[in-house]
Amino acid sequence: PKSKKVRILKNKYGMFHTPGSINGQLIDFLVDTGATFIALNANHAKKLGIPFRYKGTKIGLSTANGYTTGYQLKLKSVQVGTIRLYNIDAVVHDSDSPRQALLGMSFLGKLNMENKDGLLILKKKY
């Protein structure tokens, strides 16, 4: 069976970036344990074919850059390496922020995470 373990190296800025996919479409994520949900901007959602204004529920968002509005919705699937999870909560900011798609706790919280010497190891819990 395929290993349900993913290793992500810290970059020179001390951040964890990883390629992944949403609903089968490729996207680059910034791992953000401070983000409640996977967070996308309006352009990410358009490129991924997510009709967030139609499918999502309008909500207020408190971000590092202040208060804004966005849309909360469920993503059919989110995959990083060999780990694929289904029906993952996400928010789409109705703006060009965040610049990078954030891999938040709605995905990460379903995994075991270990940060060891600049290496983030994600493992499926079951």
Side-chain angles (χ1 to χ4, degrees):
K2 277 202 293 191
S3 165
K4 296 293 182 188
K5 187 189 279 192
V6 175
R7 292 175 175 84
I8 304 169
L9 275 172
K10 192 180 276 189
N11 69 15
K12 65 181 178 184
Y13 304 107
M15 311 291 255
F16 293 103
H17 281 268
T18 185
S21 68
I22 292 175
N23 302 342
Q25 303 286 316
L26 294 179
I27 191 160
D28 280 313
F29 286 115
L30 171 63
V31 176
D32 186 351
T33 56
T36 306
F37 303 111
I38 286 181
L40 306 170
N41 67 35
N43 289 328
H44 297 139
K46 281 184 196 125
K47 281 185 189 140
L48 295 166
I50 299 168
F52 63 94
R53 288 186 190 99
Y54 171 70
K55 290 274 191 193
T57 303
K58 193 171 188 175
I59 59 169
L61 298 168
S62 177
T63 72
N65 297 324
Y67 193 78
T68 185
T69 58
Y71 293 82
Q72 187 174 343
L73 46 83
K74 294 247 185 223
L75 300 172
K76 284 185 203 119
S77 70
V78 177
Q79 183 163 346
V80 173
T82 54
I83 299 174
R84 180 183 298 168
L85 301 177
Y86 298 92
N87 291 321
I88 300 298
D89 285 310
V91 292
V92 177
H93 295 241
D94 206 356
S95 67
D96 59 1
S97 181
R99 277 195 297 271
Q100 184 91 44
L102 303 180
L103 188 64
M105 292 307 291
S106 58
F107 181 86
L108 297 169
K110 293 175 171 28
L111 305 172
N112 288 316
M113 287 187 289
E114 191 182 352
N115 188 345
K116 235 174 31 190
D117 305 322
L119 186 66
L120 183 64
I121 301 164
L122 304 177
K123 277 187 242 169
K124 245 184 158 174
K125 284 185 178 176
Y126 40 84

